């Protein structure tokens, strides 16, 4: 092959550095967008907000930043969601996550756990058996369709799961390594307390006294749609009891943080 032919051949090849640069730029833009979604609540508490699309069922994820290791409150509704939050935490320069707390066992709070890597998963003791049953189910898009055919009331939840997890081969439901019955204080000072309720029997709240913020998960919500009856409503009694504690901010999983004073 002559020099001219070699020159033409080289010119026809894709420019790999440019492609690599474009990919890197895309990742940087993605990280910036995720970082922009991370909201500072107060003190050392941040929140990656819920998805406002009700069909997505994307719960918010709380972060309590601490030099001993950050505490993440809830895992995200799947590995992809968890990775979004990870990019946001890294872009914000917050300390590496060391603890992952489940406010309760529902899928939109736990299915992202496998993407968090080497963290200590913490939950109420009653979550273990429930999650063991969930982990044994043959999750796949086919399984979701079959279950909805048997029980159409599962439709909203299971369609959202299909959106959250395009590839079920990467889903692993992670059991907690650390559990408690009534209360637990993490080494960072974050206080966990079991409150139960009709939404989920294992519901807990997380309080950061340093920031005066309570993260409540879904604890005062009615039961999930497929288990709900006409008599089930918001647990206003529980909400009032939590509000009487007088924290400056309250954060639930599917609305904006509330400033109380």
């Amino acid at each position: 092959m002559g020099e001219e032919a070699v020159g033409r051949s080289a010119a026809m090849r894709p420019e790999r550095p440019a492609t690599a640069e474009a990919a890197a730029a895309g990742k940087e833009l993605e990280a910036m967008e995720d970082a922009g979604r991370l909201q500072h609540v107060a003190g050392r508490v941040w929140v990656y907000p819920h998805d406002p699309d009700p069909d997505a069922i994307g719960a918010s994820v709380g972060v309590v930043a601490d030099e001993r290791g950050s505490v993440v409150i809830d895992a995200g509704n799947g590995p992809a969601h968890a990775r979004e939050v990870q990019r946001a935490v890294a872009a914000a320069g917050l300390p590496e996550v060391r603890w992952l707390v489940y406010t309760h066992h529902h899928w939109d709070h736990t299915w992202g756990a496998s993407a968090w890597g080497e963290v200590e998963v913490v939950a109420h003791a009653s979550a273990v058996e429930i999650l063991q049953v969930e982990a044994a189910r043959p999750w796949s898009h086919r399984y979701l369709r079959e279950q909805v055919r048997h029980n159409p009331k599962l439709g909203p939840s299971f369609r959202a799961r299909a959106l959250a997890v395009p590839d079920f081969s990467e889903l692993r439901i992670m059991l907690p390594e650390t559990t408690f019955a009534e209360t637990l204080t993490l080494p960072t000072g974050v206080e966990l307390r079991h409150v139960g309720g009709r939404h989920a029997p294992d519901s807990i709240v997380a309080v950061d006294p340093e920031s005066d913020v309570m993260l409540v998960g879904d604890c005062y919500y009615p039961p999930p749609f497929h288990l709900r009856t006409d008599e089930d409503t918001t647990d206003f009694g529980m909400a009032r009891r939590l509000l009487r504690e007088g924290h400056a901010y309250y954060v639930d999983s599917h609305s904006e943080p509330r400033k109380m004073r």
Side-chain angles (χ1 to χ4, degrees), residues 84-103:
E84 289 177 7
V85 182
Q86 288 169 345
R87 289 193 294 267
V89 169
L94 302 184
E96 185 177 359
V97 174
R98 184 174 170 190
W99 292 274
L100 169 59
V101 176
Y102 295 158
T103 59

Side-chain angles (χ1 to χ4, degrees), residues 87-138:
R87 289 193 294 267
V89 169
L94 302 184
E96 185 177 359
V97 174
R98 184 174 170 190
W99 292 274
L100 169 59
V101 176
Y102 295 158
T103 59
H104 60 294
H105 70 276
H106 289 166
W107 74 276
D108 53 320
H109 300 258
T110 59
W111 274 21
S114 63
W116 283 99
E118 298 299 319
V119 296
E120 182 179 341
V121 181
V122 184
H124 186 256
S126 63
V128 176
E129 186 174 351
I130 302 170
L131 288 169
Q132 285 174 333
V133 172
E134 290 296 293
R137 297 173 75 174

Side-chain angles (χ1 to χ4, degrees), residues 119-239:
V119 296
E120 182 179 341
V121 181
V122 184
H124 186 256
S126 63
V128 176
E129 186 174 351
I130 302 170
L131 288 169
Q132 285 174 333
V133 172
E134 290 296 293
R137 297 173 75 174
W139 295 108
S140 68
H141 289 280
R142 178 178 180 179
Y143 177 73
L144 295 178
R145 290 192 296 271
E146 290 172 348
Q147 293 301 299
V148 172
R149 278 198 296 270
H150 292 312
N151 181 3
K153 291 187 77 172
L154 290 170
S157 170
F158 278 30
R159 282 191 289 272
R161 299 180 200 219
L163 291 171
V165 187
D167 180 6
F168 273 93
S169 68
E170 67 171 347
L171 176 68
R172 285 187 299 122
I173 295 176
M174 307 296 292
L175 302 182
E177 304 164 57
T178 300
T179 62
F180 63 98
E182 298 297 332
T183 62
L184 176 68
T185 300
L186 298 177
T188 58
V190 174
E191 299 171 355
L192 310 177
R193 183 169 85 243
H194 179 237
V195 295
R198 294 194 297 270
H199 185 74
D202 58 317
S203 280
I204 69 168
V205 296
V207 177
D208 181 35
E210 182 177 318
S211 307
D212 203 9
V213 177
M214 175 180 276
L215 300 104
V216 303
D218 298 348
C219 67
Y220 62 86
Y221 289 11
F225 176 72
H226 67 286
L227 300 175
R228 199 173 301 169
T229 68
D230 292 338
E231 289 74 37
D232 288 314
T233 61
T234 299
D235 190 340
F236 292 107
M238 179 185 288

